[in-house]
Amino acid sequence: MDNNAQQNETIFQVKVASFNLFNYIEPPLAYYDFENIYSGEQWAKKQLWLANFLAENQPDIIGFQEVFSADALANQAREAGLEHFAVVDEPTIVDDFICRDPVVAIASKFAFEDVQAVDVDSDYAKALGLEESFKYSRKPLRVTVVLPDIGHCDIYVVHLKSKRASLDELPPAQSMTVKHSGKANFGELLGRNVLGQWASGIQRGTEAALLFHTMMLRRIETQNAMILLGDFNDSLSHQPLSLLLAQELRFEREGSGELASYPLSDSYQLYYQREAEVNAENISDENSMPSQRQATHYYGAQGNVLDYILLSQDFNPHFHTSTAEVTDYHTEDRHLINPQYARDSHSTDHAPVLCTIHSRR
C-alpha cells in the first residue's frame, strides 16, 4: 500500500445535520391545541420517517428543533446509533397535556465533554435597551465534543424567532370593528400585523446578534472549533442575520489581521466553492453546479432557505490553520417537492440539511 492510500485511510470524516422535526410530540400530549393529538398510527408514521432519514443519511451529529417529547427522541436517536443526547430546556405544558414552546436538542455519536444552555448576557442586553425579561424565544444549547484530527469543537443548536407576527406584546386594539357595521377594520388589522412582524424581526435579529457575541467570547476563551446548526427562520442574505457571516470590522483597527480566525462561514458556500475549484479545469462538470440553492421550507409556492449549518474557519481550507473542509452538502427535500402521502404524510415541513466534513492532512 502506498503512502497516499495509507493517508486516505486515516482521514477523519464526520457528517453533521440540522433537522426541524415539526411538532415531534408523543401522544397523548397535544401541540398548541387540545385537538392536535397524533393517533397511534400517525405517531408511528412520524417516528418511521425520522428513523428512515437517520438510516439513509447516517449523520454523526444532528441538531433538532421543534422537540416536545425529548425522552422519545432520545430513545429513537440511540436506536440509530446516536448514543449521546442533550436537551437544556423543556416545553410549557398547559392543562396537563397541551404543549407549547418546543425546545432544541442534539444527538451525537461523540461523547459530550460539556453541555450548556446559552443564556442572554444581561449586561449586553441592558446596553441594547432591552427589558430585563428579554430571553431567547427558544433557549439555544451548546455541547463540546472532541473530534479526531480536529480537536475540541463547540456545537450550537438554535431555533430563532419565527416570522409569525408577535401580537401579544402590542397594546389592545383601539377599534377592531367599523361602527354599526360589525365588520373587521382591516386597516387596523393590517397595521397591527406589520407591527407584529416587526416585533418578531427585532426578536430574531437580537437573538442572532447576542448568540454571535456569545460565540465570539467563547472562541476567544477556548479557541475551539465551532459549528452552528439551526432553523434561523430567515435567509442569511437578509439583515440582520447576514451579520452572522460578518468578515470585517466596520472601522479598521491596528492588528486586525487576527480577525481572520473568528468569522463563520456557510457550509453550503464552502462546499460549492471547493467544488468549483476542484472542477475549474473540467468543463464537463460545470453543469453539476446548482443554479439555485434548494429551499428548506415553503410558504405557499414560495421556497426559502431557513435552515443552515455554519462553520468556524477551522473548516475553511483557505484559512491557513484550518484542520478540515466540507466535502459534501445535501438538502433532503424529496418530501417537500415530490411528496407521497403513504411515505410523507407525517414527516416535516422543513428540509433537513447535512454536510460532510473531512479532516485535512
Side-chain angles (χ1 to χ4, degrees):
M1 184 180 297
D2 60 31
N3 291 335
N4 288 335
Q6 289 179 337
Q7 186 179 37
N8 289 335
E9 283 187 356
T10 59
I11 288 177
F12 170 71
Q13 172 182 304
V14 61
K15 183 182 289 187
V16 298
S18 182
F19 190 162
N20 183 316
L21 292 165
F22 187 51
N23 298 326
Y24 186 92
I25 187 167
E26 185 175 19
L29 296 176
Y31 54 95
Y32 304 114
D33 187 89
F34 71 94
E35 295 182 345
N36 295 330
I37 302 175
Y38 295 130
S39 67
E41 180 183 0
Q42 291 171 332
W43 174 239
K45 288 186 70 174
K46 191 166 187 67
Q47 286 193 300
L48 178 61
W49 202 96
L50 173 57
N52 288 338
F53 169 83
L54 295 174
E56 291 172 9
N57 292 280
Q58 295 288 311
D60 301 296
I61 300 168
I62 180 167
F64 296 106
Q65 301 85 37
E66 291 206 28
V67 179
F68 286 108
S69 298
D71 289 342
L73 181 58
N75 290 334
Q76 190 167 4
R78 292 188 185 102
E79 290 175 358
L82 299 161
E83 298 180 2
H84 307 281
F85 185 88
V87 63
V88 294
D89 203 1
E90 56 186 27
T92 302
I93 300 180
V94 181
D95 295 332
D96 297 327
F97 73 101
I98 301 174
C99 295
R100 300 171 182 167
D101 307 316
V103 301
V104 302
I106 189 169
S108 169
K109 294 180 181 179
F110 301 93
F112 302 142
E113 282 203 351
D114 187 34
V115 177
Q116 294 290 332
V118 179
D119 293 313
V120 171
D121 188 313
S122 58
D123 290 337
Y124 279 94
K126 183 178 180 180
L128 292 174
L130 303 173
E131 295 182 357
E132 291 185 5
S133 60
F134 182 88
K135 61 181 181 180
Y136 289 103
S137 53
R138 294 101 169 178
K139 185 175 292 186
L141 69 80
R142 186 199 78 228
V143 301
T144 303
V145 301
V146 178
L147 301 177
D149 297 344
I150 296 171
H152 285 82
C153 182
D154 290 331
I155 304 172
Y156 297 81
V157 184
V158 300
H159 188 182
L160 300 181
K161 175 65 176 175
S162 72
K163 288 186 176 181
R164 187 177 297 108
S166 296
L167 301 176
D168 293 342
E169 295 82 3
L170 299 180
Q174 295 180 12
S175 59
M176 293 306 289
T177 60
V178 178
K179 190 175 182 179
H180 305 306
S181 72
K183 295 182 179 179
N185 186 330
F186 288 102
E188 184 164 8
L189 287 173
L190 181 60
R192 287 177 62 82
N193 186 71
V194 167
L195 287 174
Q197 288 183 321
W198 180 247
S200 293
I202 292 173
Q203 173 81 24
R204 183 168 57 256
T206 303
E207 289 178 356
L210 288 171
L211 174 66
F212 183 80
H213 181 258
T214 297
M215 293 176 68
M216 292 301 101
L217 293 182
R218 173 74 175 175
R219 174 76 162 179
I220 292 169
E221 177 187 355
T222 67
Q223 291 301 307
N224 290 350
M226 298 182 294
I227 299 176
L228 174 57
L229 308 169
D231 174 2
F232 291 8
N233 265 311
D234 206 347
S235 170
L236 283 178
S237 63
H238 297 163
Q239 288 280 17
L241 295 194
S242 62
L243 297 177
L244 289 171
L245 300 180
Q247 301 285 323
E248 58 186 21
L249 298 172
R250 178 64 178 85
F251 300 102
E252 194 73 17
R253 296 180 183 274
E254 184 178 352
S256 62
E258 298 177 6
L259 175 68
S261 66
Y262 291 97
L264 298 173
S265 297
D266 183 353
S267 58
Y268 173 91
Q269 298 294 341
L270 289 177
Y271 171 63
Y272 283 108
Q273 180 180 337
R274 177 183 182 273
E275 288 296 285
E277 292 170 355
V278 169
N279 298 324
E281 298 180 0
N282 191 339
I283 299 176
S284 65
D285 284 340
E286 288 183 0
N287 293 330
S288 68
M289 299 297 291
S291 58
Q292 184 176 358
R293 188 168 186 169
Q294 293 165 272
T296 68
H297 184 267
Y298 287 84
Y299 185 76
Q302 178 63 45
N304 300 284
V305 181
L306 306 181
D307 303 83
Y308 294 92
I309 300 172
L310 305 188
L311 304 172
S312 62
Q313 294 291 69
D314 308 85
F315 305 96
N316 182 352
H318 292 281
F319 181 58
H320 67 284
T321 63
S322 66
T323 55
E325 61 184 335
V326 179
T327 57
D328 190 38
Y329 189 94
H330 175 59
T331 302
E332 183 64 50
D333 64 352
R334 179 181 62 180
H335 61 292
L336 299 181
I337 62 175
N338 186 28
Q340 297 180 13
Y341 182 84
R343 181 189 65 204
D344 303 317
S345 64
H346 289 82
S347 53
T348 173
D349 62 345
H350 281 247
V353 293
L354 309 97
C355 76
T356 301
I357 296 167
H358 279 82
S359 62
R360 300 176 68 236
R361 292 190 175 186

